[in-house]
Amino acid sequence: MAEGTQIQLVTFQLGEELYGVDIMDVKEIVKVCNVRQIPNAPYYVEGIFNLRSEIIPVMNLHKRFQIKKLETSAAEEEQDGGFIILNIDNNKIGIIIDKIARVVTVDMADVKDPPQMISGIGTEYIQGVIRQENHYLIMLNIRKLFNPKELQKIFDAE
């Protein structure tokens, strides 16, 4: 992207860190709902759920990245937790989040290359890091989060 270009990110919390994904890749945000497990799925696949007659696989990024879940009360989890439904190459995938934050506009000139490791997440999954007041916003590359062969296996299992 060119210098001076801006991008909007949907930000959310996983554990203690703040993450963001391009708003253009987000279909919607939904509250926690009934997830049904699917056999022989990769370890980070929580299962599937029905969203308005559409079957959506749900990924658990806590498991994928070995991140501890944010310590919250049941009431906070009910209010803040849920799924972000991503649209990856016309496939809808839900990712479990601890807490939705907000939509932020980021100048691409402020996006820096990630350090080698951030909270156990390999740099191949990170598009960049944005320094904010007293923390960092980690911009995820959703197209690299899920191996295409694994995704195909999940969609075939539905």
Side-chain angles (χ1 to χ4, degrees):
M1 288 191 184
E3 289 274 327
T5 303
Q6 292 189 325
I7 185 172
Q8 286 191 307
L9 300 176
V10 174
T11 63
F12 56 94
Q13 202 163 346
L14 275 180
E16 297 297 321
E17 300 289 343
L18 190 63
Y19 296 86
V21 292
D22 188 330
I23 197 167
M24 299 307 289
D25 294 325
V26 175
K27 172 129 176 47
E28 63 187 294
I29 299 164
V30 297
K31 287 292 174 198
V32 176
C33 46
N34 233 359
V35 176
R36 198 180 90 223
Q37 290 186 328
I38 50 177
N40 302 320
Y43 69 96
Y44 60 86
V45 176
E46 205 62 27
I48 56 175
F49 77 100
N50 187 329
L51 180 66
R52 293 184 294 280
S53 300
E54 192 170 6
I55 303 299
I56 312 276
V58 177
M59 310 299 170
N60 187 327
L61 295 183
H62 297 92
K63 290 179 182 176
R64 179 82 168 168
F65 299 140
Q66 290 95 41
I67 297 173
K68 280 188 177 176
K69 201 161 170 33
L70 184 66
E71 298 281 329
T72 57
S73 69
E76 286 175 317
E77 191 170 323
E78 178 74 27
Q79 181 181 344
D80 299 331
F83 306 128
I84 292 179
I85 309 299
L86 300 172
N87 191 351
I88 304 174
D89 303 324
N90 293 321
N91 291 311
K92 291 183 187 70
I93 297 172
I95 58 171
I96 297 171
I97 60 169
D98 288 333
K99 189 177 193 177
I100 192 69
R102 58 194 172 112
V103 174
V104 297
T105 301
V106 173
D107 193 326
M108 288 307 290
D110 295 335
V111 178
K112 306 298 179 210
D113 288 336
Q116 284 305 312
M117 283 297 261
I118 296 180
S119 301
I121 300 175
T123 55
E124 68 269 23
Y125 305 122
I126 300 173
Q127 194 165 335
V129 178
I130 301 106
R131 175 113 174 97
Q132 296 190 315
E133 294 103 45
N134 55 356
H135 63 277
Y136 290 95
L137 170 60
I138 301 166
M139 192 169 144
L140 293 176
N141 183 337
I142 64 163
R143 279 161 185 76
K144 292 192 177 172
L145 280 180
F146 311 109
N147 177 315
K149 288 179 183 171
E150 290 173 327
L151 281 181
Q152 195 55 53
K153 183 177 175 183
I154 293 161
F155 286 109
D156 289 347
E158 295 173 9

